Amino acid sequence: MFKKLRRDLRYRYGRQLRQLNYWLVARAAMMIISMLRLLPVDSALNFADRVARRVGPMVGRHQVAVDNLRKAYPEKSEDEVQAIASDMWGNMARLAAEYIFLDALFDYDPAAIKPGRVEVKGVEHFTEIAAEKQPHIVFTGHLGNFELLPVAAATFGMNITALFRPPNNPYLADYILSTRRSTMGALLPSMAGASFALAGVLENGGNIGVLVDQKFSNGLDTTFFGRPCQSNRVLGTLARHYDCDVYPARCVRLPGNRFRLEIEDKLTLPRIADGSVDVHATTQLLNDVVERWVREDPGQWMWFHKRWEISGGRRKRSPQAKAPVADA
């Protein structure tokens, strides 16, 4: 009885302490945001970059990033590895600060003579997808300011629902969600049942946007930078079920707080003997595309993510199993 009481108290007060910690972190973040709002956009972003390059190496995740970089680039020197990690922290800080200025940052105008902060490569694909009355899948990775892609989609009149993972901190999650919704159109939190919601969007002829470069427990066995990893099969499964076009898209951070948004030609998806999409090979293809992007701009990807961590005790599943959509 006493053990149960201790467990109940520990759970109750542990939960309250966690909520208090979330609240304090959110208050501190809001104070920083309020201070950054007082600065001009470029000054705020450059300040965030400088601070993150100093503070980033002091946090525990820095070692995860450095270890991942050493394994991904065994040919690089220690100075090169540390330089990429520093660029990564600068990129992540800029991304966080850019939430404040999303409205001001996205200034793309196809009729403008003088280029603004944002340039777009692959305009014809944006307009084609927006005009076609059929479902499409657009995927990307955590590169540059990937949040600008759904803003661009909305600007071109593309009806797209973007899947996103809210922060664990509920107070920050509310702020970020309100910021996103004001500029990005439809958003779908990544939680139980999200894959059914994505399927519903495609079923109704809509378009979905998905990030594909994170570890997924019980995912398919794939490789990334030649190392084993687990990847979410949901995009390949949806592409097979709806036989829809799949487009790669990314954001490249340019000097001077500028951005290039790129949407590439649709992928030719691998297929099995009966002509349907090969889910496993498609999932690997997505990894290969993201790896190409990361190799081109390694400092713009989040190396502190435990992408190569393999979950133990997972079920072995057939790559072509018919009912995996719910796993997302």
Side-chain angles (χ1 to χ4, degrees):
M1 183 178 67
F2 287 113
K3 287 182 179 179
K4 183 179 184 303
L5 179 61
R6 279 201 304 270
R7 279 199 307 269
D8 291 344
L9 289 172
R10 192 182 303 120
Y11 175 75
R12 181 187 308 167
Y13 289 113
R15 217 168 124 189
Q16 292 176 351
L17 286 173
R18 186 163 57 250
Q19 288 300 114
L20 176 61
N21 180 63
Y22 283 152
W23 186 85
L24 291 172
V25 169
R27 290 303 94 199
M30 292 300 111
M31 288 180 59
I32 294 171
I33 287 171
S34 298
M35 293 170 58
L36 290 176
R37 284 187 188 278
L38 300 175
L39 299 174
V41 174
D42 290 311
S43 298
L45 301 183
N46 294 338
F47 174 76
D49 183 291
R50 289 195 301 271
V51 171
R53 288 175 185 270
R54 290 177 176 273
V55 175
M58 303 177 188
V59 303
R61 285 281 177 159
H62 182 74
Q63 193 55 51
V64 175
V66 169
D67 289 344
N68 283 336
L69 281 162
R70 286 172 182 155
K71 293 172 181 175
Y73 294 104
E75 74 282 2
K76 291 190 180 296
S77 67
E78 187 62 22
D79 286 344
E80 289 174 311
V81 165
Q82 293 292 343
I84 294 173
S86 179
D87 289 343
M88 176 203 69
W89 287 119
N91 175 69
M92 297 308 298
R94 287 178 180 275
L95 174 63
E98 284 159 0
Y99 276 113
I100 308 168
F101 304 106
L102 273 180
D103 288 335
L105 288 173
F106 191 85
D107 61 355
Y108 176 73
D109 181 358
I113 298 175
K114 183 180 178 181
R117 288 187 184 273
V118 177
E119 60 184 63
V120 178
K121 183 179 179 181
V123 171
E124 67 280 7
H125 294 317
F126 276 111
T127 55
E128 285 170 9
I129 295 172
E132 291 178 348
K133 304 300 181 184
Q134 62 185 49
H136 304 82
I137 299 174
V138 181
F139 74 92
T140 189
H142 290 81
L143 289 144
N145 189 335
F146 51 91
E147 303 284 6
L148 290 173
L149 288 167
V151 180
T155 300
F156 282 99
M158 187 191 302
N159 174 26
I160 191 164
T161 298
L163 182 70
F164 77 101
R165 183 185 183 279
N168 292 331
N169 187 317
Y171 305 102
L172 288 178
D174 289 343
Y175 168 75
I176 291 174
L177 183 57
S178 65
T179 303
R180 283 168 156 167
R181 276 185 172 150
S182 65
T183 53
M184 298 181 187
L187 293 168
L188 178 67
S190 178
M191 59 179 64
S195 55
F196 291 112
L198 292 176
V201 172
L202 296 175
E203 186 74 40
N204 292 316
N207 311 299
I208 62 172
V210 186
L211 286 153
V212 298
D213 58 342
Q214 290 183 298
K215 171 187 177 295
F216 187 73
S217 299
N218 295 323
L220 291 178
D221 293 328
T222 53
T223 60
F224 189 61
F225 277 78
R227 298 166 60 194
C229 62
Q230 294 170 290
S231 300
N232 195 334
R233 62 185 298 145
V234 70
L235 191 153
T237 301
L238 292 171
R240 182 182 66 185
H241 187 76
Y242 294 99
D243 201 19
C244 51
D245 293 336
V246 176
Y247 286 85
R250 65 167 166 169
C251 174
V252 179
R253 194 178 292 282
L254 303 175
N257 295 317
R258 297 183 63 249
F259 310 88
R260 182 172 65 250
L261 306 181
E262 302 178 354
I263 184 166
E264 302 177 357
D265 295 341
K266 66 182 178 183
L267 296 180
T268 300
L269 302 181
R271 296 179 181 268
I272 57 177
D274 66 2
S276 60
V277 170
D278 185 326
V279 175
H280 190 275
T282 295
T283 305
Q284 181 60 58
L285 177 60
L286 305 181
N287 282 1
D288 295 341
V289 171
V290 175
E291 180 179 332
R292 167 170 58 83
W293 292 337
V294 176
R295 287 188 180 278
E296 290 175 9
D297 297 286
Q300 297 192 25
W301 191 64
M302 50 173 203
W303 289 95
F304 58 77
H305 176 58
K306 296 181 179 181
R307 182 67 180 94
W308 292 275
E309 184 178 75
I310 304 297
S311 298
R314 63 193 184 86
R315 292 174 295 158
K316 292 290 185 180
R317 305 185 67 173
S318 166
Q320 301 302 329
K322 291 292 183 181
V325 179
D327 291 351

